Amino acid sequence: MLSENCSLHIAEYAEISTTEACALGVDYERMCAMCAVMPHPAGWGLLHCREESEGRRVTLATSDVAHHRMLAATIDAAKGTLMEEKTRRLLGRTGPAGYAYARDGWPDDWARDLSHDPLPWHAISGGQMQKVGSARVFHITPEGASEGDVIFMIDDRRAAWTMLCPQDRGGTVYYGENVMVSASYPRVQWLAASWVAVQPGWPLRNVKPYIVV
């Protein structure tokens, strides 16, 4: 688990958004599923870093895209100057305060990962998660519809999480399956990430009617 006080060197940054998805010619919700994050309305900012003490690769995520873009602009302004490396290291110690989620590796590592880890992301706060709502869901499979539950949670930093709990197939949901809350209004749906049970964020559409705390 990544601690809040560890020193990081920011190697690169990226963004998951409808604008970025359009530029790449892919569907936004599918792009989110590939990275195992929920399709947040504003998108996601990703920092690809190296932990200075061990050199291991880690990725931080935030749904505060405005903060992420400001940090990215600061790095861009220092590129090609004597201050670039110092800026990347300094922001690695201060900038990540706005990033609530962490995951080992970078996207190319995730593409090769066959561990089927149901919890690839973890909360940087390291604290307990609190259930704040739930709903009945079903997901569309090649064999038909399968039922389950979805739990909406927050952690100590008020960061949102979604837990998917299918009732069959050994608790497994496969990449690209369409998951839908079983209610006529509001219609809440997203694409599942392969094998992942807990993802950062809540679905793209309004989940407030399901929040009870």
Side-chain angles (χ1 to χ4, degrees):
M1 181 177 291
L2 192 69
S3 69
E4 290 185 287
N5 299 318
C6 71
S7 294
L8 300 172
H9 176 271
I10 300 174
E12 194 52 83
Y13 53 84
E15 187 174 302
I16 303 173
S17 65
T18 53
T19 302
E20 186 68 17
C22 183
L24 295 174
V26 297
D27 179 77
Y28 172 60
E29 293 192 9
R30 190 165 296 277
M31 192 176 184
C32 288
M34 290 173 65
C35 294
V37 295
M38 297 300 290
H40 188 274
W44 294 91
L46 304 180
L47 286 184
H48 307 307
C49 309
R50 290 188 183 275
E51 191 175 9
E52 291 190 345
S53 61
E54 301 178 7
R56 68 187 179 111
R57 307 207 301 184
V58 297
T59 294
L60 307 185
T62 181
S63 58
D64 186 348
V65 178
H67 171 78
H68 178 74
R69 289 174 177 170
M70 182 175 63
L71 187 146
T74 303
I75 295 175
D76 283 345
K79 278 185 178 179
T81 72
L82 296 176
M83 292 296 294
E84 180 176 358
E85 284 303 304
K86 185 175 181 179
T87 298
R88 289 180 183 273
R89 293 180 186 279
L90 177 63
L91 291 176
R93 296 187 179 99
T94 59
Y99 293 73
Y101 313 94
R103 179 176 178 174
D104 286 338
W106 296 349
D108 57 333
D109 300 315
W110 306 340
R112 297 190 299 268
D113 184 15
L114 300 177
S115 65
H116 299 154
D117 183 1
L119 305 169
W121 292 94
H122 65 262
I124 293 180
S125 68
Q128 296 295 315
M129 294 187 189
Q130 175 189 1
K131 177 182 175 180
V132 294
S134 63
R136 190 70 177 163
V137 298
F138 64 91
H139 48 101
I140 308 302
T141 74
E143 295 78 29
S146 182
E147 293 191 71
D149 297 291
V150 63
I151 298 173
F152 303 117
M153 303 176 294
I154 56 172
D155 62 25
D156 291 352
R157 295 173 62 173
R158 307 294 294 179
W161 296 83
T162 297
M163 176 184 289
L164 185 61
C165 309
Q167 288 190 332
D168 53 12
R169 293 194 301 171
T172 300
V173 177
Y174 298 104
Y175 169 70
E177 292 182 355
N178 189 34
V179 182
M180 187 178 305
V181 172
S182 301
S184 58
Y185 180 84
R187 189 177 181 85
V188 181
Q189 64 185 56
W190 64 94
L191 293 180
S194 183
W195 302 93
V196 176
V198 180
Q199 296 177 235
W202 290 343
L204 178 63
R205 295 175 177 83
N206 183 18
V207 297
K208 287 184 179 179
Y210 304 106
I211 306 302
V212 296
V213 175

